[in-house]
């Protein structure tokens, strides 16, 4: 469980890093000429080259940084899901969180760049996240919709969900 908790904490650090990177990109604070230059990785197995041109303008850097945020957020859902796979509990709050995490992870597995809710009919339910200062999430209404952070109450709620999970598993 300690490894799963550490992975989760690291995934949230990756999310923060990605958000910070995106903010700098959106502010135009990344030097596109420097960032988009040729890059050579000399790896033990075999070198890899990235030629200049892909990230030579702010728009391409911003788009990639936004996708990095989406990918990192998806990684947090995967890590939280891995923890919850190990938790056997009748606690109603944990059951609600399990449903939320599962649906969120599933949305990102159906499109990491443009995640979309995909909820099977037997999983349709309304999740009351008030115990973490969140909103009511109607999974049936979200099914088929593009994912938006506001649909789960925003990033702050997501961080509180993580804290709730970590506290719960640390005390069991």
């Amino acid at each position: 469980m300690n490894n799963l908790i550490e992975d989760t904490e690291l995934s949230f650090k990756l999310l923060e890093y990605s958000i910070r990177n995106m903010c700098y990109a959106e502010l135009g604070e990344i030097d596109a000429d420097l960032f988009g230059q040729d890059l050579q990785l000399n790896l033990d197995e075999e070198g890899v080259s990235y030629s200049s041109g892909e990230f030579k303008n702010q728009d391409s850097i911003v788009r990639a940084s936004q996708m990095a945020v989406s990918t990192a957020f998806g990684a947090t859902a995967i890590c939280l899901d891995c923890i919850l796979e190990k938790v056997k509990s009748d606690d109603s709050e944990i059951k609600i969180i399990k449903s939320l995490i599962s649906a969120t992870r599933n949305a990102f597995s159906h499109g990491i760049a443009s995640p979309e809710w995909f909820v099977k009919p037997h999983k349709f339910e309304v999740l009351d996240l008030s115990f973490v200062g969140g909103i009511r999430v109607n999974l049936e209404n979200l099914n088929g919709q593009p994912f938006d952070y506001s649909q789960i109450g925003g990033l702050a709620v997501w961080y509180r969900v993580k804290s709730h999970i970590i506290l719960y598993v640390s005390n069991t």
Side-chain angles (χ1 to χ4, degrees):
M1 185 58 75
N2 287 337
N3 288 342
L4 294 174
I5 291 171
E6 182 179 359
D7 285 352
T8 299
E9 295 293 358
L10 288 171
S11 73
F12 275 82
K13 287 181 196 263
L14 176 62
L15 176 59
E16 179 185 346
Y17 175 85
S18 299
I19 290 169
R20 288 174 178 272
N21 186 54
M22 179 189 69
C23 290
Y24 275 88
E26 289 176 346
L27 291 169
E29 294 295 325
I30 296 176
D31 182 341
D33 291 330
L34 180 61
F35 193 80
Q37 68 184 356
D38 288 342
L39 178 63
Q40 174 72 35
L41 299 179
N42 298 317
L43 306 172
D44 291 339
E45 308 81 26
E46 181 178 352
V48 177
S49 297
Y50 299 98
S51 59
S52 64
E54 184 62 38
F55 298 105
K56 285 297 254 184
N57 65 61
Q58 288 305 121
D59 287 341
S60 63
I61 294 170
V62 167
R63 274 182 271 143
S65 69
Q66 290 168 340
M67 184 173 172
V69 170
S70 181
T71 303
F73 186 87
T76 65
I78 290 168
C79 289
L80 290 170
D81 192 53
C82 287
I83 286 177
L84 292 174
E85 284 177 354
K86 305 288 185 195
V87 173
K88 306 295 183 234
S89 175
D90 290 328
D91 182 276
S92 62
E93 293 174 354
I94 293 300
K95 287 181 178 182
I96 290 168
I97 286 176
K98 279 185 176 188
S99 294
L100 175 69
I101 299 298
S102 177
T104 304
R105 180 199 45 79
N106 200 32
F108 279 80
S109 71
H110 285 270
I112 199 73
S114 297
E116 183 176 291
W117 292 98
F118 179 79
V119 184
K120 294 180 180 177
H122 71 280
K123 300 279 188 169
F124 288 167
E125 60 184 309
V126 177
L127 309 173
D128 183 355
L129 301 174
S130 60
F131 62 94
V132 288
I135 63 173
R136 292 172 57 86
V137 177
N138 186 323
L139 294 179
E140 182 177 8
N141 290 348
L142 292 178
N143 190 39
Q145 300 297 313
F147 178 88
D148 187 274
Y149 300 104
S150 65
Q151 295 163 328
I152 60 168
L155 280 176
V157 169
W158 191 250
Y159 278 90
R160 289 193 297 272
V161 164
K162 185 253 309 184
S163 295
H164 192 88
I165 293 168
I166 300 297
L167 182 63
Y168 182 85
V169 298
S170 296
N171 291 330
T172 56

